[in-house]
């Protein structure tokens, strides 16, 4: 990742970036934008030159707007005017992302930040720079961006070091989730995923990690995970990881769907719907990365993470439409669609969390339904909970993190669709709204913690079709930033 450091004096001035903000139209005048006064005075004449360029370039000051002026033979050699919008965290994040892409061919840039720059601005800028510069490639062709270091000119560098460190950890864990999700499924078996997490966790003191294989899952009764993973030569796993600091007052369980590839099973998907199914474990990647981030940041909250991992493949040992599955704890499900597999593995993890871990709160993330995108588009997750306070807290964290979610209803009149004549539940009803009925099915496994459970269907925002703001094409790592914000605020 980029090296980002706060400085009181510039050490090199190859490229100097000066922020620009909109002017309130009510203030009058012809200009629509202006330079923001810097905390550290730029070289002689630079401020005046930049001030003259703002109207000449017809800048509006919107977040992420960029204008570059070449200055051959002078220092700095390039002068970049960067729009920061309203100066809020999201605007600075967008500005940082735009700058990372615009300056990708540079090796070093210096940003003259405003006087009295708030921590939120520093965090947004740092996250934008680090996330937009992310690339995932399995070839050396093209290579990584040349940009290797960014200096932030501020009046008091020490005052911003903790904020930069927090933003850096958040971005690093988001990038980890992206790496895990982008990795092709020819490599990414359930055991491979567990091995990657084990390797990263080994560098963070205080983490406890257990991986259950097929034999342990069978002995303990994890029927949903075994059914979904039964058709693959790569057996299923259940990864359990715990961060338990001594000063923790609240115990949170995070659960993430970890289908490392989804063919749809016997209810096989068409090719266009199958080709990106390496992303069907993005929920598992998000909760694992958030837990690793909580340990790295030493957050004072106990977090236990469960990731049921399986490949949903087609073979003679694959589970069949119409099978009755016995989940952890004994509840049974009749399934007539093997492509509705994610809820089956999550049901096991939820039941285990309720019976054995007895947490204060449960949050699950899953690329669960295509209905998520139909209802809310490509950037927004669907949030379900019966707890108004929990829903409000998570939504606030999602917004602060620069991600998006929308609270959806848990319609009671859809519950009848879950009724089966031969089992306790029918896992994939054809009636009702697909994302809602999937959430209602999961709710059946929350037991006494029903009013302390929250579900995020994040199938749509887990993947980006192109570069946009801090998102790079491919896996987005959706949920890592939001969970870390929320965990940092949990009482």
């Amino acid at each position: 990742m980029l090296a980002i450091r706060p400085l009181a004096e510039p050490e090199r001035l190859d490229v100097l970036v000066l922020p620009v903000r909109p002017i309130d139209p009510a203030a009058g005048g012809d200009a629509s934008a202006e330079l923001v006064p810097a905390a550290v005075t730029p070289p002689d004449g630079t401020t005046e030159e930049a001030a003259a360029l703002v109207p000449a370039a017809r800048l509006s000051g919107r977040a992420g707007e960029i204008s570059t002026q070449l200055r051959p033979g002078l220092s700095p050699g390039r002068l970049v005017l960067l729009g920061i919008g309203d100066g809020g965290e999201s605007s600075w994040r967008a500005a940082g992302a735009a700058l990372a892409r615009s300056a990708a061919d540079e090796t070093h840039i210096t940003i003259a930040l405003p006087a009295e720059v708030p921590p939120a601005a520093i965090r947004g800028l740092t996250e934008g720079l680090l996330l937009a510069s992310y690339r995932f490639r399995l070839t050396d062709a093209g290579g990584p961006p040349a940009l290797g270091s960014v200096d932030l000119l501020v009046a008091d560098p020490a005052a911003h070091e903790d904020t930069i460190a927090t933003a850096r950890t958040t971005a690093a864990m988001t990038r980890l989730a992206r790496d895990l999700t982008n990795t092709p499924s020819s490599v990414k078996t359930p055991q491979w995923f567990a091995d990657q997490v084990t390797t990263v966790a080994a560098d963070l003191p205080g983490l406890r990690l257990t991986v259950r294989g097929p034999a342990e899952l069978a002995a303990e009764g994890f029927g949903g995970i075994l059914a979904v993973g039964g058709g693959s030569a790569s057996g299923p796993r259940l990864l359990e990881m715990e961060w338990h600091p001594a000063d923790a007052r609240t115990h949170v369980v995070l659960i993430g769907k970890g289908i490392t590839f989804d063919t749809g099973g016997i209810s096989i998907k068409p090719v266009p719907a199958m080709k990106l199914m390496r992303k069907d474990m993005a929920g598992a990647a998000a909760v694992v990365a958030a837990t690793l981030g909580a340990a790295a940041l030493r957050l004072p909250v106990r977090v236990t993470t469960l990731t049921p991992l399986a490949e949903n493949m087609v073979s003679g040992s694959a589970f069949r439409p119409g099978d009755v599955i016995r989940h952890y704890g004994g509840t049974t499900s009749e399934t007539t669609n093997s492509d509705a597999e994610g809820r089956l593995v999550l049901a096991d993890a939820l039941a285990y969390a309720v019976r054995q871990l007895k947490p204060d709160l449960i949050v699950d993330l899953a690329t669960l339904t295509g209905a998520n995108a139909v209802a809310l588009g490509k950037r927004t997750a669907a949030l379900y909970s019966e707890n108004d306070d929990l829903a409000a807290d998570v939504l606030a964290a999602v917004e602060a993190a620069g991600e998006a979610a929308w609270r959806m209803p848990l319609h009671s009149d859809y519950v009848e669709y879950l009724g089966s004549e031969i089992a306790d539940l029918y896992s994939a009803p054809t009636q009702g709204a697909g994302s809602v009925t999937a959430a209602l099915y999961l709710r059946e496994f929350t037991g006494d913690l029903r009013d302390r459970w929250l579900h995020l269907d994040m199938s749509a925002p887990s993947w980006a079709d192109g570069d946009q703001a801090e998102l790079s094409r491919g896996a987005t790592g959706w949920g890592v930033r939001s969970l870390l914000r929320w965990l940092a605020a949990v009482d």
Side-chain angles (χ1 to χ4, degrees), residues 92-268:
W92 274 103
R93 189 180 293 111
L99 184 60
R101 293 195 174 95
S102 175
D105 293 333
E106 307 292 341
T107 58
H108 177 274
I109 60 176
T110 300
I111 307 173
L113 291 174
E116 307 299 328
V117 62
I122 296 286
R123 180 166 187 172
L125 173 64
T126 302
E127 288 183 2
L129 287 166
L130 294 174
L131 292 174
S133 58
Y134 171 86
R135 297 290 182 275
F136 181 86
R137 294 180 65 82
L138 297 177
T139 174
D140 293 332
L147 185 62
S149 59
V150 177
D151 290 342
L152 309 180
L153 294 184
V154 293
D156 183 5
H160 301 291
E161 289 177 353
D162 288 346
T163 299
I164 293 172
T166 297
R168 188 172 188 82
T169 296
T170 301
M173 294 308 164
T174 303
R175 291 166 66 110
L176 171 63
R178 291 178 179 182
D179 283 346
L180 291 170
T181 307
N182 278 323
T183 297
S185 295
S186 55
V187 174
K188 186 172 53 188
T189 64
Q191 184 60 54
W192 178 91
F193 183 101
D195 289 344
Q196 301 307 300
V197 177
T198 301
T199 299
V200 178
D203 295 329
L204 293 169
L207 283 170
R208 181 184 64 83
L209 193 146
T210 302
V211 179
R212 292 174 173 86
E216 293 91 345
L217 294 172
E220 297 182 47
F222 289 92
I225 300 173
L226 288 166
V228 174
S232 174
S234 299
R237 300 290 188 272
L238 175 62
L239 186 150
E240 180 175 348
M241 182 167 58
E242 184 181 38
W243 162 245
H244 190 178
D247 55 347
R249 296 197 306 270
T250 302
H251 182 196
V252 174
V253 167
L254 301 179
I255 300 174
K257 173 186 169 184
I259 303 301
T260 58
F261 192 76
D262 182 19
T263 66
I266 291 176
S267 306
I268 196 163

Side-chain angles (χ1 to χ4, degrees), residues 364-421:
D364 75 77
L365 273 69
T367 52
L368 204 59
T369 70
N372 168 211
V374 173
L376 298 175
K378 288 290 292 179
R379 293 291 299 275
T380 305
L383 182 150
Y384 298 89
S385 182
E386 294 181 341
N387 186 317
D388 293 341
D389 291 338
L390 176 58
D393 289 346
V394 172
L395 285 171
V398 169
E399 182 178 6
E403 297 182 318
W406 191 262
R407 189 177 183 185
M408 300 284 281
L410 287 161
H411 286 305
S412 58
D413 54 345
Y414 286 175
V415 174
E416 64 181 272
Y417 302 148
L418 299 176
S420 167
E421 295 181 356

